[in-house]
């Protein structure tokens, strides 16, 4: 069985979020980003399933800029069998 894990890139929980001067959104310049904590739980469970032999393959998917790929390889060095990254089209 393959396990698909969606990974979302979010502002790190230790960072104080600032609003842009023109109030058009959140200022993300020089802000530390991390994996959503709920996504971390999903990844950990996928790894447990693979260790038990229930799952044969872990596939991680994320959507966003190129830097979003960094959140798919967390510090505990799990390695997804496949990593899919989708970049939204800007017009």
């Amino acid at each position: 069985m393959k396990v698909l894990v969606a990974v979302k890139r979010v502002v790190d929980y230790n960072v104080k979020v600032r609003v842009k001067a023109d109030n058009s959104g959140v200022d993300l310049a020089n802000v530390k980003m991390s994996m959503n904590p709920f996504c971390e739980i999903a990844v950990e469970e996928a790894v447990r399933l693979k260790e038990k032999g229930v799952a044969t393959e872990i596939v991680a998917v994320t959507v966003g800029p190129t830097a979003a790929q960094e959140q798919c390889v967390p510090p505990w060095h799990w390695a997804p069998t496949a990593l899919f990254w989708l970049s939204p089209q800007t017009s």
Side-chain angles (χ1 to χ4, degrees):
M1 170 175 68
K2 292 183 182 181
V3 177
L4 176 67
V5 181
V7 177
K8 184 176 179 181
R9 181 177 190 240
V10 296
V11 175
D12 190 81
Y13 68 92
N14 287 323
V15 174
K16 182 173 173 134
V17 178
R18 296 182 317 257
V19 178
K20 291 181 181 178
D22 62 357
N23 290 329
S24 64
V26 176
D27 184 10
L28 297 176
N30 300 319
V31 173
K32 182 180 177 191
M33 303 297 278
S34 64
M35 183 186 297
N36 183 337
F38 297 106
C39 297
E40 286 184 22
I41 294 168
V43 168
E44 289 171 6
E45 187 59 31
V47 170
R48 284 189 196 112
L49 289 172
K50 188 168 181 181
E51 289 172 348
K52 288 180 185 176
V54 176
T56 57
E57 187 174 352
I58 300 172
V59 178
V61 63
T62 190
V63 177
T66 307
Q69 295 179 54
E70 296 169 6
Q71 272 62 50
C72 286
V73 185
W76 57 84
H77 302 294
W78 73 286
T81 309
L83 170 61
F84 294 96
W85 162 69
L86 305 172
S87 176
Q89 295 290 330
T90 56
S91 48

